[in-house]
Amino acid sequence: MHHHHHCSPPHSNAMNPSNHTSASSPSAAAGSSFYRRLHFVEHVQILELLLALFVFIAIHAIRQGKRHGLAVWPVLGMAPSLVAGLRGNMYEYISGVVCRQNGTFWFRGPWLTSLNCVVTADPRNLEHLLKTRFSNFPKGPYFRDTVRDLLGDGIFNADDDTWQRQRKTASIEFHSAKFRRLTTESLLELVHARLLPVLEESLRASAAVDLQDVLLRLTFDNVCMIAFGVDPGCLRPGLPEIPFARAFEDATEATVLRFVTPTCVWKLMRFLGIGPERTLRKSIEGVDEFANEVIRTRKKELAADDGCQRSDILTVFARLRDEEGRPFSDKFLRDICVNFILAGRDTSSVALSWFFWLLHNNPDVEERIVAELCKVVSERGGASDGEELVFKPEEIKKMDYLQAAITEALRLYPSVPVDHKEVIEDDVFPDGTVLKKGTKVLYVIYAMGRMEAIWGKDCREFRPERWLRDDGRFASESAYKFTAFNGGPRLCLGKDFAYYQMKFAAASILYRYRVRVAEGHPVAPKLALTMYMRHGLKVNLLRRDEAERRKCLAKYYG
Ligand code: HEM
């Protein structure tokens, strides 16, 4: 692997002082002109002076930009440059900067804000951060403070012991046979009794449908079944609004808003109960109401019948005892469930939405997936049962090309486009970046999927083949290069489940339908912690019949 992230010719280290000499010449020129002008001071308009000063500062800021990646303005830091990014695609914009700076740069926020941070997309730094020096890079107090009202002490928001204990228990659970049965059964029910009928209805009515919305409903219902053992029923004909889902979404959005609001401002708003903080309090009440009801019912159930067959997260944790032999509090059980719902709610559906959009633009890949599905079905022996066909878990496992195509979609459109950590003790990144205690580190997962240094010249192409070995089997990549699921001890716990879910849903849809994006539908990422499609994904469905499936099979396996 090569480590230089050359998108532009190699240039000096960001900290290199040698640039200072060249930076001082415009200052000298501006200075002498300043004194010359002082002679005629009565004639000089204040406005003109200010203009000169501005030009001087602008030249200096832009020169600094050459070294630091973005222009650095007095007082405002790099913030003005971001406005340019806000108008276009912010992720692309940041990727461009990080690429030009060889993988890492310092973002300088406006004075008196806490926005200074190191931005990186260098696999060496990622390995250092996520694995080698894991304990030196927790989520940190800033993050915890900001999301505590919604997430409490749940796994997403916890560090150290609180995190470790939940991680261990949940990890054992996620790898148990019982849990696997729960995921396959819940998904079978959701896809066949709910997803396919909704899609069939849209086909029959020849009406466009927002596939992202439908998929979001699917995974929300699914993760609630996994976490709570309860199906909230978002994915139903007519696509009804479910108060719990609404409350959950509002609470997440209002929490995210805190990250772009100065801390003292949102804390004051919370104290006064106004603005988005009012919405947040109300929606958290909505979430808690639902959660507490489920927890109450479950505890009664468990007390009445110890041999209860459930294997959802809530049941598993409700049975556990802490070191002193006491059961966990209802509040802690609530935190655990809410965190799992947040983690597993939108990531898979958003990934699938980008996946279907990429297929629309790459019909060859779509045909090859269909060919693989047909091949797997043909290996069953016996009759293939047409429209009623249900993929079996061992068949899903055999679909290497589909796995590669979904992974390739996640490389280009990672559901979590940026993530962050905080530095506990002074440290140095493998690329030489010096980190002081308390520094915030942003890692740009989105940019990492588009770096020539990592993926080669065709890094921007959708090419599932890059994930396949010569024998056609899927070959995974280092978690520090392909970072969509995070890496190290905090690797996504739901990764295997997510793949199963995405593959099962995608296979079931593609076997029956051709998914065409509605003409002229605008596609752009939304600026949020999860990479939603800003305008959803309006699609028309066309029936894929047996003749067409055979054609695909013949083309690739004939
Ligand atoms: C395409 C789908 C998914 C992607 C791309 C994804 C990605 C990620 C990422 C990037 C993280 C690290 C977040 C952080 O620490 O800041 C994470 C953590 C986590 N994910 Fe996923 N995820 C997906 C699906 C799921 C699903 C379906 C579940 C559960 C049902 C899940 C459960 C979790 C949990 C519990 C964590 C926290 C792990 C820890 O902190 O120890 N994920 N995921």
Side-chain angles (χ1 to χ4, degrees), residues 58-73 78 81 97 100-101:
I59 289 173
H60 185 69
I62 290 162
R63 269 185 172 264
Q64 291 250 307
K66 287 237 169 67
R67 279 201 290 144
H68 300 302
L70 285 175
V72 189
W73 299 85
M78 290 177 173
S81 310
V97 179
R100 280 200 302 280
Q101 295 303 108

Side-chain angles (χ1 to χ4, degrees), residues 442-463:
L442 282 193
Y443 48 108
V444 199
I445 301 170
Y446 180 92
M448 297 188 74
R450 290 151 192 265
M451 291 182 105
E452 239 180 88
I454 303 178
W455 307 102
K457 281 245 174 294
D458 62 357
C459 59
R460 283 176 175 267
E461 278 167 44
F462 179 65
R463 210 171 60 80

Side-chain angles (χ1 to χ4, degrees), residues 139 155-156 163 167 174 223 340 343-344 347-348 351 410 415-416 419 484-486 490-494 497-498 501-502:
K139 296 223 171 170
I155 188 166
F156 230 64
W163 167 75
R167 173 92 194 180
F174 266 58
V223 78
F340 272 91
T347 34
S348 313
L410 275 167
S415 313
V416 181
D419 209 337
F485 290 98
N486 224 29
R490 281 195 105 134
L491 178 77
C492 170
L493 246 182
F497 167 54
Q501 190 185 47
M502 291 186 288

Side-chain angles (χ1 to χ4, degrees), residues 330-341:
D330 287 4
K331 166 74 168 77
F332 190 47
L333 290 176
R334 174 260 178 224
D335 291 349
I336 292 170
C337 293
V338 165
N339 276 260
F340 272 91
I341 294 174

Side-chain angles (χ1 to χ4, degrees), residues 130 134 139 143 154-159 163-164 166-168 170 174 179 183 219 222-224 226-227 313 336 339-352 406 410 413-421 443 445 482-499 501-502:
L130 295 175
F134 173 72
K139 296 223 171 170
F143 182 80
I155 188 166
F156 230 64
N157 193 28
D159 287 318
W163 167 75
Q164 185 94 50
Q166 290 180 63
R167 173 92 194 180
K168 220 165 130 192
F174 266 58
F179 182 80
T183 57
T219 52
N222 199 194
V223 78
C224 286
I226 303 295
I313 305 277
I336 292 170
N339 276 260
F340 272 91
I341 294 174
L342 183 77
R345 177 178 80 116
D346 289 352
T347 34
S348 313
S349 32
V350 165
L352 277 181
I406 290 174
L410 275 167
Y413 296 97
S415 313
V416 181
V418 289
D419 209 337
H420 101 291
K421 300 282 183 192
Y443 48 108
I445 301 170
F482 174 65
T483 41
F485 290 98
N486 224 29
R490 281 195 105 134
L491 178 77
C492 170
L493 246 182
K495 185 178 169 194
D496 293 347
F497 167 54
Y499 266 113
Q501 190 185 47
M502 291 186 288

Side-chain angles (χ1 to χ4, degrees), residues 41 76 86 155 190 283 299 338 356 358 423 439 456 495 516 537 547 556:
V41 77
L76 296 174
L86 274 173
I155 188 166
L190 274 173
S283 47
K299 279 196 153 170
V338 165
F356 278 108
L358 286 163
V423 184
T439 306
K495 185 178 169 194
R516 301 290 88 186
L537 186 66
Y556 289 98

Side-chain angles (χ1 to χ4, degrees), residues 30-44 49:
S32 71
S33 92
F34 180 77
Y35 280 112
R36 238 185 309 115
R37 275 158 191 252
L38 215 57
H39 257 326
F40 314 98
V41 77
E42 303 101 298
H43 308 289
V44 173
L49 242 177

